[in-house]
Amino acid sequence: MISYNLAKEILNEHTKSASLLRHMRTVELVMEAYAEQFGEDKLEWAITGMLHDADYEAFPDKHPSIIVDKLRSMGEEKIAHAISAHYTKWGVPYTNTLDRALLACDELTGFIVACAQVRPEGIASLEPKSVIKKLKDKGFAAKVERDEIHKGVELLGVELTAHIAFIIDVLKKNKEELGL
């Protein structure tokens, strides 16, 4: 399996944006925590979260094919498949929990970070009910696709409020590193 250090090199090769790097780090942390909860491989899940948007900044029109092809050439089919499926409109089937978890965590984690950024106390006082209220406000973080969030939650088989609480908890534990 790909090493964490090599995955980090691949990430830094194509991504320079601090906000995008933070997004991938937040998804990495959430995926790692879910791996522990589901009894899955924490390193594999963390790397999947870390690399899911690794080619987005450098190759937005080819995302995610560049990173998917690179991972496949390295024999990392499971991670590559999960990354190729992290947007429902790409029509890639969800074949395992890793695929479904990445979909369920990506968009929602970014949304929760946006919610934290508009609060005076940041993530410290953020609660699921506030996130749910913001999800209903189509003007807030308007580029976040709410249907992707709901489909991810459905496919992962978790309840929305509990899923939001889980993500908030992971982000709170890492708030200093993440600047939240």
Side-chain angles (χ1 to χ4, degrees):
M1 181 171 164
I2 185 175
S3 73
Y4 186 86
N5 289 338
L6 180 54
K8 195 77 162 172
E9 284 178 31
I10 293 167
L11 172 64
N12 291 324
E13 179 181 329
H14 297 298
T15 307
K16 306 299 179 216
S17 162
S19 63
L20 188 54
L21 287 167
R22 179 172 72 171
H23 169 67
M24 287 184 278
R25 177 66 175 147
T26 60
V27 176
E28 172 190 343
L29 291 165
V30 171
M31 290 291 290
E32 183 178 46
Y34 260 127
E36 186 169 348
Q37 180 171 310
F38 292 140
E40 297 284 347
D41 184 322
K42 287 171 47 174
L43 179 61
E44 178 179 63
W45 283 48
I47 288 171
T48 302
M50 177 200 304
L51 294 179
H52 80 280
D53 281 342
D55 60 359
Y56 183 77
E57 183 178 5
F59 306 99
D61 295 338
K62 295 181 180 181
H63 172 67
S65 65
I66 302 296
I67 189 62
V68 168
D69 290 348
K70 182 166 191 72
L71 289 164
R72 284 192 170 128
S73 75
M74 299 169 71
E76 296 295 342
E77 179 56 37
K78 187 174 178 187
I79 295 172
H81 182 80
I83 291 172
S84 72
H86 80 272
Y87 185 58
T88 61
K89 292 166 181 75
W90 291 331
V92 177
Y94 299 90
T95 60
N96 58 50
T97 309
L98 178 62
D99 299 348
R100 293 185 286 276
L102 183 58
L103 175 67
C105 294
D106 177 29
E107 201 80 352
L108 184 55
T109 298
F111 188 82
I112 290 170
V113 168
C115 291
Q117 289 178 313
V118 298
R119 299 178 67 82
E121 314 85 22
I123 194 82
S125 64
L126 185 61
E127 295 188 19
K129 66 181 178 182
S130 299
V131 175
I132 290 170
K133 184 177 178 183
K134 289 287 191 189
L135 276 170
K136 294 175 185 173
D137 177 359
K138 303 295 185 209
F140 179 78
K143 290 184 179 182
V144 172
E145 295 186 47
R146 273 72 170 167
D147 58 328
E148 287 293 298
I149 290 172
H150 293 292
K151 187 65 176 175
V153 167
E154 175 189 326
L155 286 171
L156 189 57
V158 293
E159 192 273 323
L160 179 61
T161 303
H163 184 48
I164 291 169
F166 183 89
I167 294 170
I168 289 172
D169 185 54
V170 172
L171 297 178
K172 279 182 181 178
K173 289 175 185 172
N174 297 280
K175 67 182 179 181
E176 283 80 21
E177 174 195 346
L178 300 171
L180 296 175

